[in-house]
Amino acid sequence: MTRLTAEFWVQAYLARLRLMDIPAFVTSHGDDTAGAVLVKLNTLDGQACAFHRTYDLMSGSRKWDELASGAEADVDASIRRQQEFDPDLWVLEVEDRQGRHLLDEPGLE
């Protein structure tokens, strides 16, 4: 199966968010080809969640799992720790008071 490059996936995701009027920003540009992507959802109330994509070896499927949630400062600290381990990591920040991130929609796994 052919996989999209990280940069292509990021640009498509940002475009989908723009269509829904959900602000999102690249806060850390990872490797264009194979960088992992981490999405931070900022609900603009001091709280946040970070999501990362996982791969299920048994089913071969990909899905988004919560990496961290709680106070935004704590989530940011968790993201920084991930960046220390993976310098090729993309970090995207989605800002939505309603908590929309669209990661559960078809085509974004």
Side-chain angles (χ1 to χ4, degrees):
M1 176 195 289
T2 304
R3 288 186 44 196
L4 301 175
T5 65
E7 182 179 30
F8 187 88
W9 186 92
V10 166
Q11 294 307 319
Y13 179 57
L14 294 174
R16 191 178 285 192
L17 289 165
R18 276 192 301 275
L19 288 172
M20 299 294 294
D21 291 322
I22 302 171
F25 312 93
V26 175
T27 59
S28 181
H29 187 289
D31 182 76
D32 288 343
T33 305
V37 178
L38 193 146
V39 176
K40 174 188 168 188
L41 172 62
N42 182 347
T43 52
L44 305 172
D45 61 357
Q47 300 293 303
C49 294
F51 299 92
H52 65 128
R53 199 166 20 185
T54 61
Y55 184 76
D56 183 346
L57 292 173
M58 298 301 287
S59 69
S61 65
R62 301 184 82 153
K63 66 177 187 162
W64 289 92
D65 280 335
E66 187 177 289
L67 174 69
S69 66
E72 184 179 8
D74 295 338
V75 172
D76 287 342
S78 179
I79 292 169
R80 280 191 300 278
R81 284 191 297 275
Q82 292 298 313
Q83 289 176 301
E84 289 173 8
F85 292 118
D86 185 358
D88 294 330
L89 183 67
W90 287 79
V91 180
L92 311 178
E93 182 163 344
V94 176
E95 295 180 344
D96 189 68
R97 291 185 192 280
Q98 299 171 36
R100 299 174 298 165
H101 50 67
L102 308 182
L103 294 173
D104 49 358
E105 292 199 354
L108 291 175
E109 52 279 331

